[in-house]
Amino acid sequence: MQALWMVLSAFLFSAMGVCVKFASAWFTSAELLFWRGVIGIVFVGALARRQGVSLATRYPGMHLWRSVIGTFSLGAWFYAIAHIPLATAVTLNYMSSIWIATFLVGGALLAWVPLPGRDGRVPLPPLQLALAATVLAGFAGVLLILKPDVHPDQGFASVVGLISGLTAAFAYLQVIALSRIGEPETRTVFYFAVGAAVMGGLWMLLTGTSPWNGWHALWLPPIGILAALGQLTMTRAYARARTQAGTLVVANLQYSGIVFASVFGVLLFGDVIDAASWTGMAMIIASGVCATVLRQRAVPRAPAEEH
């Protein structure tokens, strides 16, 4: 049952991406970020009250950093969705697990001191081959998807999409830290929504607001509602997974969102996905699955990711 909850969560997040892409024709990324936050505040605030979870926290600084970096990631993702194919934007955002593996590989290299041993030989850096292979395969998949020489007009938006995945990794590390000190996930998600509303509002001061002169404003509420429902179903999926094997299955099924986004992109937006892009997405999914398995070994009861 927990697997079905995660597949439903992936579908809801992909559907949110569809709404973002449609709404981007009339609204800026700043406005989408703002309304995503406002609706999230209402939805998650009501959920916290129903669950009896207090929204007061003793760690405002940690929530502030998580909200700032997470909101930056979300805004970058919305911008990427607006300017590149939906499946590509979703795939790049789902690379957070691969970025975390990259941090681990980079940390091992930085900590390596190339001093000769007793036998006079300099030892190799303590890299885990599985981690290194995961990182290389993931970025090879990125090159296959983006094909910078074929789509130079999408270069900037593609880089923004990569940054969304990178900053999502930083945000997730902070979510893990908050989980370890006992902060309820509902409280963490609430402050993330507050951060999205505040930063989206500040961004709107620079970009201005778009006119509300038609039915297209109806795309705004589903963005926040689908995101909140996606988070709730993801949380329920993790809660129902009571073994490490079940948690791994749930964590890896989030990548079904890439499949849903691909189908939506082809059917609704006429996106053309060639063989190289399909191969790249498959490589990133496989790398993400491997990175998630390795991450779960290091953090067995890691909290749910957010999108």
Side-chain angles (χ1 to χ4, degrees):
M1 192 65 187
Q2 64 265 25
L4 294 178
W5 281 116
M6 178 53 81
V7 171
L8 176 59
S9 173
F11 176 83
L12 292 170
F13 279 123
S14 298
M16 181 199 73
V18 170
C19 295
V20 169
K21 196 163 186 69
F22 275 121
S24 296
W26 295 283
F27 299 98
T28 66
S29 299
E31 292 172 291
L32 300 182
L33 184 63
F34 172 78
W35 287 108
R36 160 75 163 83
V38 168
I39 296 170
I41 290 172
V42 174
F43 208 100
V44 180
L47 176 65
R49 184 172 182 178
R50 180 180 178 183
Q51 293 176 340
V53 175
S54 171
L55 296 177
T57 179
R58 294 181 296 167
Y59 311 100
M62 294 183 68
H63 281 287
L64 176 63
W65 170 242
R66 185 267 174 275
S67 296
V68 169
I69 196 69
T71 300
F72 183 87
S73 171
L74 186 63
W77 188 31
F78 283 1
Y79 181 89
I81 289 175
H83 295 88
I84 59 178
L86 180 62
T88 301
V90 171
T91 302
L92 295 177
N93 183 259
Y94 273 61
M95 283 187 62
S96 57
S97 292
I98 300 173
W99 281 112
I100 292 175
T102 305
F103 300 157
L104 294 175
V105 172
L109 287 174
L110 289 174
W112 175 52
V113 180
L115 296 177
R118 294 180 179 179
D119 57 358
R121 296 181 180 180
V122 177
L124 295 174
L127 293 178
Q128 298 183 32
L129 292 180
L131 268 179
T134 293
V135 171
L136 291 175
F139 285 102
V142 170
L143 290 177
L144 286 174
I145 290 176
L146 298 185
K147 296 182 286 294
D149 57 327
V150 179
H151 302 294
D153 56 321
Q154 298 179 357
F156 179 75
S158 298
V159 171
V160 172
L162 273 173
I163 292 173
S164 78
L166 171 62
T167 48
F170 283 117
Y172 184 63
L173 292 175
Q174 188 70 359
V175 170
I176 292 177
L178 286 165
S179 175
R180 283 178 169 175
I181 61 176
E183 284 291 270
E185 187 170 357
T186 303
R187 186 183 299 159
T188 302
V189 175
F190 176 81
Y191 283 116
F192 173 50
V194 172
V198 172
M199 291 187 66
L202 293 175
W203 191 4
M204 285 165 58
L205 294 177
L206 300 176
T207 61
T209 58
S210 304
W212 288 42
N213 53 7
W215 57 266
H216 52 261
L218 295 177
W219 288 112
L220 295 175
I223 293 175
I225 294 172
L226 289 170
L229 290 175
Q231 193 62 45
L232 290 176
T233 50
M234 179 181 288
T235 301
R236 176 164 292 191
Y238 276 94
R240 294 284 183 95
R242 294 182 172 84
T243 65
Q244 185 172 1
T247 302
L248 280 175
V249 170
V250 167
N252 288 323
L253 279 174
Q254 68 176 312
Y255 293 100
S256 61
I258 296 176
V259 178
F260 289 130
S262 302
V263 174
F264 284 142
V266 171
L267 296 180
L268 300 178
F269 304 106
D271 294 341
V272 177
I273 305 177
D274 57 20
S277 295
W278 282 116
T279 303
M281 282 188 280
M283 292 177 68
I284 289 175
I285 291 173
S287 299
V289 168
C290 292
T292 301
V293 171
L294 295 170
R295 186 190 70 203
Q296 287 291 334
R297 290 179 181 176
V299 189
R301 298 298 297 179
E305 296 189 43
E306 298 168 14
H307 299 283

